[in-house]
Amino acid sequence: MSTERVTIRHVAHSAGVSVATVSRVFAQSSSVSEELTARVLDAARRLGYTPHAVAQSLASGRTRVVGVLVPNLANPYFYALIKNMLHEADRDGYRLIVADSDESLAAEPALGMSLLGRSDGLIMLSPRCGSEVLKELGGQGKPIMVVNRQIDELGLSSVLLDNFTPMRQLAMHTVELGHRHLVYLQGPVRSWQEKERWRAMRSLRVPGVTVTPIRAGGTMENGRDSADRVLATGCTAVLAHNDLTAIGLIAGLNEHGVSVPGDISVTGFDDIPFARFTSPALTTVHSPQEDIGRATWRMTAGLLHGDRPGARTMLTTQPVIRASTAPPK
Amino acid sequence: MSTERVTIRHVAHSAGVSVATVSRVFAQSSSVSEELTARVLDAARRLGYTPHAVAQSLASGRTRVVGVLVPNLANPYFYALIKNMLHEADRDGYRLIVADSDESLAAEPALGMSLLGRSDGLIMLSPRCGSEVLKELGGQGKPIMVVNRQIDELGLSSVLLDNFTPMRQLAMHTVELGHRHLVYLQGPVRSWQEKERWRAMRSLRVPGVTVTPIRAGGTMENGRDSADRVLATGCTAVLAHNDLTAIGLIAGLNEHGVSVPGDISVTGFDDIPFARFTSPALTTVHSPQEDIGRATWRMTAGLLHGDRPGARTMLTTQPVIRASTAPPK
DNA sequence: CCTTGACAAGTAACCGGTTTCACAGCAAGG
DNA sequence: CCTTGCTGTGAAACCGGTTACTTGTCAAGG
C-alpha cells in the first residue's frame, strides 16, 4: 500500500549524480549536460518519480496556486469567469483554488487570508468587503487582483467592466421604444456594479421619463418576489440589476398573468448563457467573460512576475437586444 | 514591504520556550501547561505570527486540501454540488481546489494527478475516464471519491443517485398523460448517468408506446440544435437527458413555432435552479445536491480519517411535475 | 605558461514547520 | 529510600525539495 515515496535523492543516487543536478533537470532552467539530463530522466522514469509539489512550494517559496474568492458560485456570471481563468491559469502552470463567501461580508477576510496562506496571490471577484480588509490582505505581501470593483486609495490592480455606459444605453433603448415609466430592480446594495448601474439609471434625465427604484437583491427568487411591487408601480418597463433577477421577475410576472414583453418589457445584465434560451429571449448587456477572465489572469500573472500593482483595465461592452423588450401597448 | 516572515522560532524565542512547545500549543493536541500556553499565545499575538500552511503540510504530510475534478463547471448541476461541498469541507477545516476538465476525457488523468499532488484526496464528479485511469490515481495512496459513477472492480468509495427509478417514473408520467410516441434526447454517451437514464427508457415496455433515442449531448446548444430532428419524429413528448438540454430544446421548439407543452411535452433531469423559473416551468427529476454534497464530503472526510474505502452510498429521488408536460392534443 | 572566465556539477544550508525520542521532575507504590 | 510510571518540555532529526556557494575543468587571452 504505502509504497515509500520516491524522492529526488533516490533518483540522484540511481542516476549517479547529486540531488542538485536532478533538481536542475526538472527546473529546466540551469544547464545540465545532455548526458546527465538523459541519465536523470531515465532514472526518474524507471523509479516513477514525481516531484513533491508541497516540498517544491516550501523550498522555492512559490506555490503555483492562486486563490479565487467568489461571492456566490451559484451565479452563472461567476462560474463563466472562473472557468475562463481556470484555463488561462492552467496554461501558465497555475492552479486555482476557489472559495465561496456565500454573499457573506463577514466571511471574506478569513477566507481571503486562508486562501492567501496556500497560494501566491488572490483574485477577488466583486468583493463587497471594506477597503480596510483589502488593505490587510494586501499587507501579506502577495499580489491581489480585484475584479468588478473600483479601488482608488490602495494601489491594487483591477479589472473593470464599464457598467455605466451600456446600462445607460439599455435604458435609452427602452425609452426609444416609447416607455415612459421605468422601474430599476436593484441588486446587492454594496456591490460596485450595482452602484454603477443605478448611477446610470439616475443619470437618465429625459423629460417625461421617470425611473423608480425597487430593492430586490440579485437572485432569481428576489426577482420573482418583486413582481407584486413592480406591478404596483404601473410601469411598462423594468430594468433589472442582472439576468438572474430579470429571469425571476419574468417568471413572477407570468404567474400573475402578465406577459413579457406584451404587457411589460424586462431587461437583464450579464448575458449569462441562459439569457439566450429563456422565452422570451432576454434583452440584456453582454458581459465578455472571456475577455474579463483573460485580462484578469494576464494581470495576475504579471503581478506574480513582479509587475508593479495598481494598473487598471477597463473593458467595454454593449447591450444585446433580444425579445424581452418591445414598445408599450 | 517584504517584512521578514515571523516564524515559529521567533515566537519560541520571544516566549522563552522551544519551538516544539510552540508547535504543540498551536496543534492543541499535546498538553502544554497553562502558563506556557499563555506565554506562547501572547508572544504569537504580539509578533503577529501566522502558521505557514505549506510548511505545515510538508512536515505533517497533510495538506488539508481536497481536489475536485469537474467535467464542466458551466453546468449548474455541478456548481450546486461544489458549493455544498465547499461549505461542508470548510466546516472541517478543509479547502477545496477545483479543476475543470472541460468535458475532455484526455485531460482527466493529468488534472487528477496534478490535483492529487497538492491535496490529501480527490473527489471526481461524474468522471468519464476509463477505470485504468481511476486505478492509476488510486495508486497514489490517497483517498479517491467517485460521484455519479458506478465502479465495481476497484474498491473506490462512491456516492450515487438512483437515476433509473425516477427516470422510469418520469417516462411513465408522460405515458399516463396519454403520450405514445416518446423521444429520449441523449446526453454525453460515456457518462454513467446517461447510461442509467437510457436504460430506464429502454426498460419501458408498454404496448403501443415507442421510444426513439436522439443523440444530443447535454448542453443547451445541443438541445436547441436537436429541435429539427425531434420534430421530424412526430413525437408528442421528449424526455431530455438533463435540464440544460431540455431548456435548449424548448427554446429551439419555440423558434420553430412549436409550443410547449401545447404541441409537445418536454422533461428534464437534475432540477437545476433555473428549472423552476423557465416558462413553462420544467417538469424534471429533482437531484438533491445538498444531500449528495453532504454525503460526498462526509465519506471523503471518513476516508481522510482512515476509513476503509469501497463504501457506496445510493441516494434516491423523485420526479417533480411542473408545467412543461401536459396531455397530447 | 599562467591567468581569467565560463560553465558544469556537487555540497550543504535552508524553507518553516512536526514529531520522535530523551530527559527531568515528581507522585505513587513497595 | 529506591524503583516505576507519568507528564511536561526541549533537542534534533526530518519532510522533499531549491539554491547560494564552492570546486573542478577546460578554452581563450595575455
Side-chain angles (χ1 to χ4, degrees):
Chain A
M1 181 69 220
S2 168
T3 51
E4 274 311 302
R5 173 170 252 289
V6 180
T7 75
I8 202 174
R9 304 182 207 262
H10 297 148
V11 178
H13 182 255
S14 165
V17 301
S18 73
V19 292
T21 301
V22 178
S23 176
R24 290 191 183 107
V25 167
F26 280 89
Q28 294 175 333
S29 57
S30 315
S31 53
V32 178
S33 73
E34 290 273 327
E35 193 214 330
L36 287 197
T37 302
R39 286 228 308 268
V40 166
L41 289 179
D42 184 52
R45 190 170 323 108
R46 236 180 20 247
L47 273 55
Y49 168 74
T50 340
H52 191 294
V54 176
Q56 287 181 311
S57 297
L58 178 59
S60 66
R62 291 176 304 120
T63 63
R64 307 231 110 204
V65 169
V66 170
V68 181
L69 187 51
V70 200
N72 190 356
L73 246 192
N75 189 335
Y77 177 85
F78 292 116
Y79 67 65
L81 208 51
I82 293 178
K83 182 160 181 148
N84 273 292
M85 294 194 313
L86 274 177
H87 288 105
E88 294 289 330
D90 186 70
R91 188 165 315 166
D92 290 354
Y94 275 82
R95 205 104 289 168
L96 259 34
I97 122 173
V98 182
D100 174 354
S101 66
D102 224 3
E103 306 274 2
S104 154
L105 252 182
E108 289 192 4
L111 282 176
M113 279 308 224
S114 162
L115 287 180
L116 265 184
R118 322 190 157 286
S119 57
D120 296 341
L122 183 60
I123 297 176
M124 307 194 68
L125 302 183
S126 307
R128 326 259 215 262
C129 60
S131 66
E132 72 285 355
V133 170
L134 290 175
K135 181 183 288 180
E136 190 191 340
L137 291 171
Q140 297 295 301
K142 293 179 181 176
I144 307 237
M145 270 291 309
V146 177
V147 181
N148 287 331
R149 162 129 171 212
Q150 194 164 352
I151 306 287
D152 290 319
E153 323 88 78
L154 320 163
L156 297 178
S157 298
S158 54
V159 170
L160 299 171
L161 180 70
D162 174 12
N163 281 239
F164 182 87
T165 311
M167 187 74 210
R168 204 160 192 287
Q169 290 170 341
L170 192 61
M172 285 309 295
H173 158 71
T174 62
V175 169
E176 280 158 13
L177 284 174
H179 295 279
R180 288 297 167 258
H181 189 177
L182 313 182
V183 158
Y184 173 66
L185 217 50
Q186 297 183 303
V189 196
R190 299 200 47 139
S191 105
W192 174 78
Q193 308 184 56
E194 164 59 25
K195 286 177 187 141
E196 287 294 293
R197 293 172 196 176
W198 172 225
R199 187 164 70 84
M201 291 306 293
R202 274 189 336 235
S203 79
L204 203 74
R205 306 229 146 278
V206 182
V209 173
T210 67
V211 176
T212 311
I214 290 185
R215 186 157 297 181
T219 70
M220 293 193 287
E221 284 73 14
N222 293 150
R224 182 182 49 201
D225 297 345
S226 313
D228 291 323
R229 281 174 294 157
V230 165
L231 289 173
T233 65
C235 68
T236 59
V238 181
L239 294 102
H241 166 77
N242 63 9
D243 289 351
L244 291 183
T245 322
I247 290 172
L249 176 65
I250 292 177
L253 292 176
N254 284 344
E255 287 171 12
H256 284 272
V258 176
S259 101
V260 176
D263 301 317
I264 294 186
S265 289
V266 175
T267 68
F269 201 115
D270 290 345
D271 193 20
I272 62 177
F274 286 95
R276 206 180 304 260
F277 290 94
T278 54
S279 35
L282 198 60
T283 291
T284 184
V285 171
H286 180 70
S287 183
Q289 308 305 73
E290 309 74 28
D291 299 342
I292 301 180
R294 194 172 317 115
T296 303
W297 178 254
R298 290 262 54 86
M299 288 184 74
T300 306
L303 291 174
L304 291 170
H305 289 353
D307 287 3
R308 189 164 305 290
R312 177 180 305 168
T313 300
M314 172 76 86
L315 300 172
T316 63
T317 185
Q318 294 179 338
V320 186
I321 311 304
R322 297 212 181 90
S324 68
T325 45
K329 278 194 299 208
Chain B
M1 179 71 214
S2 167
T3 51
E4 273 310 302
R5 173 169 252 287
V6 180
T7 76
I8 202 174
R9 304 183 207 260
H10 297 147
V11 177
H13 183 254
S14 163
V17 301
S18 74
V19 293
T21 301
V22 178
S23 176
R24 290 190 182 108
V25 167
F26 280 89
Q28 296 176 330
S29 59
S30 317
S31 55
V32 178
S33 73
E34 289 272 325
E35 194 213 329
L36 287 198
T37 302
R39 285 226 309 266
V40 166
L41 289 180
D42 184 52
R45 191 170 324 109
R46 235 177 23 244
L47 273 52
Y49 168 74
T50 340
H52 192 294
V54 175
Q56 286 181 313
S57 298
L58 178 60
S60 67
R62 291 176 304 120
T63 63
R64 308 229 109 205
V65 169
V66 169
V68 181
L69 188 51
V70 199
N72 190 358
L73 244 194
N75 188 335
Y77 177 88
F78 291 116
Y79 69 64
L81 210 51
I82 292 180
K83 182 160 181 148
N84 274 291
M85 294 193 315
L86 274 177
H87 287 106
E88 294 289 330
D90 186 70
R91 190 166 313 167
D92 290 354
Y94 276 83
R95 205 104 288 168
L96 259 37
I97 120 174
V98 181
D100 173 354
S101 66
D102 224 2
E103 306 273 3
S104 153
L105 252 183
E108 288 192 5
L111 281 176
M113 279 307 225
S114 161
L115 287 179
L116 265 184
R118 322 189 155 285
S119 58
D120 295 342
L122 183 60
I123 297 176
M124 306 194 68
L125 303 184
S126 306
R128 327 258 214 262
C129 58
S131 66
E132 73 286 355
V133 170
L134 290 175
K135 181 182 288 179
E136 189 191 340
L137 291 171
Q140 296 295 300
K142 294 179 179 175
I144 306 237
M145 272 290 312
V146 177
V147 180
N148 286 331
R149 161 129 172 209
Q150 194 164 351
I151 305 288
D152 290 318
E153 323 88 80
L154 321 161
L156 297 177
S157 298
S158 54
V159 171
L160 299 170
L161 180 70
D162 174 13
N163 281 239
F164 183 87
T165 311
M167 187 75 211
R168 202 159 194 289
Q169 290 170 342
L170 193 60
M172 284 309 295
H173 158 70
T174 63
V175 169
E176 280 158 15
L177 283 174
H179 296 278
R180 288 297 165 260
H181 186 177
L182 313 181
V183 158
Y184 173 65
L185 215 49
Q186 296 184 304
V189 196
R190 300 201 45 140
S191 108
W192 174 77
Q193 310 186 58
E194 164 59 25
K195 285 177 187 142
E196 287 294 292
R197 293 172 196 176
W198 172 226
R199 188 165 69 84
M201 293 304 295
R202 274 189 333 234
S203 79
L204 203 74
R205 304 231 147 276
V206 183
V209 171
T210 67
V211 176
T212 312
I214 290 186
R215 185 157 297 182
T219 69
M220 292 193 286
E221 284 74 14
N222 294 150
R224 183 183 46 200
D225 298 344
S226 313
D228 291 325
R229 280 174 295 157
V230 165
L231 288 173
T233 65
C235 67
T236 60
V238 181
L239 294 102
H241 167 75
N242 63 9
D243 289 351
L244 291 183
T245 322
I247 290 173
L249 175 67
I250 292 177
L253 291 176
N254 284 344
E255 287 170 11
H256 284 273
V258 176
S259 102
V260 176
D263 301 316
I264 294 186
S265 288
V266 174
T267 69
F269 202 115
D270 289 346
D271 194 20
I272 61 177
F274 286 95
R276 206 181 304 259
F277 290 95
T278 54
S279 34
L282 198 61
T283 291
T284 183
V285 171
H286 181 70
S287 181
Q289 308 305 73
E290 308 75 28
D291 299 342
I292 301 180
R294 194 174 316 113
T296 303
W297 179 253
R298 290 261 56 83
M299 289 185 74
T300 306
L303 291 174
L304 291 170
H305 288 353
D307 286 4
R308 190 165 307 289
R312 177 180 305 169
T313 301
M314 173 77 86
L315 301 171
T316 62
T317 186
Q318 294 178 339
V320 186
I321 310 303
R322 297 213 180 90
S324 67
T325 44
K329 281 195 294 209

